[in-house]
């Protein structure tokens, strides 16, 4: 199949590496010529250009730009596509994306590979990034069944775990497990930086080890991605942040009241619940 990828960064480049290894011809478009050259060099694409006209022969186009560039990119892309071309995106937010792109292109399927790291750009792209990771598709009642099957047929062989849900359900779910953690982790780093004694702050930096590395990782990543989560998933994120603040308030009260029993009960409950979020179910045969 001829696959188009717009936005040759971490996600677009990684998809290119994987899809090429499955025998597809991958055509890449990015904003900078240097990125296009690097994508060819890295083997993420067969051909690349800064012009969307390269994608006129694409059967499927993956939109992998930052969320803020998607609407304008699709308006520019449409004149180059045939009506049979399936368009899908990889954006971390689905409600806004689907509401914006579905009216523009009938053969559109919203998608979100739940994989990534804190790096950005084509040099961060990696082969096998999506292996065993969830890949969410968010079709609506308007999405053509054939378009859904086409996207499934491309991403399932990458050994992803496919899920389907409504775009708004996706946004509420990822607010809890992706967008809230970014904000909490960022607040953790910011709180440490508020230590007024410079010597203590220096000592804290020197002593920080695996626990701090784990809990600060997502908050110390790509700022653009964090802003996009807040901007395009504002309602669900606000709901999650408010609930999180309530839990912090309860903890503050329990610590202040030296209520160790309540704290222990809370931590035991969390310890039991965590595996349900992080244990990977086996792939369906
Ligand atoms: P990224 O590494 O910064 O890659 C995005 C690339 O898009 C940039 O390298 C840039 O390449 C290119 N670009 C920017 N504006 C463009 C435009 N107007 N037209 C064409 N190309 C443009 O970011 P990413 O992490 O891959 O994120 C891309 C998308 O994946 C986002 O929508 C994000 O929500 C989604 N996502 C991210 C993650 C994650 O963990 N990072 C996970 C799942 C989904 P140039 O060098 O050419 O400017």
């Amino acid at each position: 199949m001829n696959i188009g990828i717009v936005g040759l960064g971490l996600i677009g480049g990684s998809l290119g590496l994987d899809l090429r290894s499955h025998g597809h011809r991958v055509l890449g478009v990015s904003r900078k010529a240097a990125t296009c050259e690097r994508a060819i060099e890295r083997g993420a694409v067969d051909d690349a250009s800064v012009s969307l006209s390269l994608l006129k022969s694409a059967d499927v186009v993956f939109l992998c730009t930052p969320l803020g560039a998607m609407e304008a990119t699709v308006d520019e892309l449409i004149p180059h596509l045939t009506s049979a071309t399936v368009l899908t995106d990889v954006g971390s937010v689905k409600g806004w994306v689907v509401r914006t792109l579905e009216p523009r292109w009938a053969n559109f399927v919203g998608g979100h590979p739940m994989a990534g790291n804190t790096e950005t750009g084509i040099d961060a792209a990696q082969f096998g990034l999506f292996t065993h990771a969830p890949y969410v598709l968010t079709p609506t009642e308007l999405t053509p069944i054939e378009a859904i099957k086409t996207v499934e047929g491309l991403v399932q062989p990458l050994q992803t775990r496919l899920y389907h849900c409504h775009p708004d359900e996706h946004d509420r779910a990822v607010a809890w497990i992706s967008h809230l953690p970014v904000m909490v982790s960022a607040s953790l780093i910011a709180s440490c930086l508020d230590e007024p004694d410079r010597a203590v702050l220096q000592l804290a930096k020197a002593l920080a080890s695996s626990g701090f590395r784990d809990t600060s990782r997502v908050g110390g990543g790509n700022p653009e991605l964090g802003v996009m989560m807040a901007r395009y998933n504002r309602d669900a994120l606000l709901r999650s942040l408010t609930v999180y603040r309530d839990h912090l308030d309860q903890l503050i009260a329990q610590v202040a009241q030296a209520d160790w029993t309540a704290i222990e009960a809370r931590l035991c409950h969390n310890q039991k619940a965590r595996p349900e979020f992080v244990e990977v179910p086996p792939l369906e045969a």
Side-chain angles (χ1 to χ4, degrees):
M1 230 181 221
N2 276 350
I3 310 288
I5 294 179
V6 187
L8 297 170
L10 168 67
I11 300 296
S14 302
L15 264 177
L17 289 166
D18 280 359
L19 290 169
R20 283 192 78 218
S21 78
H22 281 78
H24 300 291
R25 179 170 157 74
V26 176
L27 306 164
V29 174
S30 215
R31 196 174 40 175
K32 297 188 194 130
T35 303
C36 295
E37 284 161 27
R38 185 73 185 124
I40 295 173
E41 242 171 57
R42 288 216 51 205
V45 294
D46 291 280
D47 197 3
S49 169
V50 293
S51 166
L52 290 162
S53 64
L54 181 73
L55 304 184
K56 57 181 182 290
S57 64
D59 302 301
V60 178
V61 175
F62 285 82
L63 195 56
C64 303
T65 66
L67 287 164
M70 286 188 179
E71 189 175 4
T73 302
V74 167
D75 284 341
E76 222 186 298
L77 173 67
I78 282 173
H80 302 290
L81 303 182
T82 65
S83 61
T85 309
V86 173
L87 178 66
T88 186
D89 78 299
V90 298
S92 311
V93 172
K94 294 274 58 84
W96 176 83
V97 169
V98 173
R99 278 192 293 279
T100 305
L101 301 189
E102 190 172 65
R104 287 173 157 78
W105 194 250
N107 257 338
F108 172 73
V109 187
H112 180 198
M114 303 287 306
N117 59 46
T118 51
E119 305 292 312
T120 59
I122 186 63
D123 283 316
Q126 68 185 73
F127 180 76
L129 181 69
F130 310 105
T131 307
H132 297 164
Y135 200 114
V136 192
L137 295 181
T138 59
T140 70
E141 60 282 3
L142 299 177
T143 314
I145 303 290
E146 279 311 310
I148 303 170
K149 283 190 184 152
T150 302
V151 178
E152 285 175 350
L154 288 171
V155 301
Q156 200 142 36
L158 311 186
Q159 293 191 65
T160 55
R161 291 189 284 129
L162 261 184
Y163 291 89
H164 296 83
C165 64
H166 187 276
D168 294 332
E169 278 175 1
H170 165 278
D171 288 357
R172 287 178 62 179
V174 298
W176 288 118
I177 53 80
S178 176
H179 302 176
L180 178 64
V182 167
M183 301 303 154
V184 169
S185 173
S187 305
L188 171 69
I189 301 168
S191 305
C192 295
L193 291 172
D194 277 354
E195 165 57 51
D197 185 325
R198 286 183 62 165
V200 172
L201 181 57
Q202 276 314 109
L203 183 62
K205 287 178 183 172
L207 299 185
S209 186
S210 55
F212 191 80
R213 198 170 297 122
D214 289 348
T215 49
S216 64
R217 184 178 63 82
V218 292
N222 180 5
E224 192 179 3
L225 201 56
V227 174
M228 293 295 161
M229 290 169 175
R231 182 168 174 185
Y232 293 101
N233 197 20
R234 190 171 156 203
D235 291 345
L237 178 62
L238 271 178
R239 211 169 19 229
S240 306
L241 278 169
T242 307
V243 172
Y244 185 74
R245 184 178 59 192
D246 291 345
H247 278 275
L248 270 187
D249 285 341
Q250 288 164 24
L251 253 180
I252 291 169
Q254 287 163 355
V255 174
Q257 290 156 13
D259 189 348
W260 316 131
T261 311
I263 294 173
E264 187 182 3
R266 172 189 289 274
L267 295 179
C268 285
H269 183 66
N270 297 345
Q271 188 183 39
K272 244 171 96 184
R274 184 174 181 267
E276 293 165 26
F277 289 90
V278 296
E279 276 175 7
V280 181
L283 275 181
E284 278 173 32

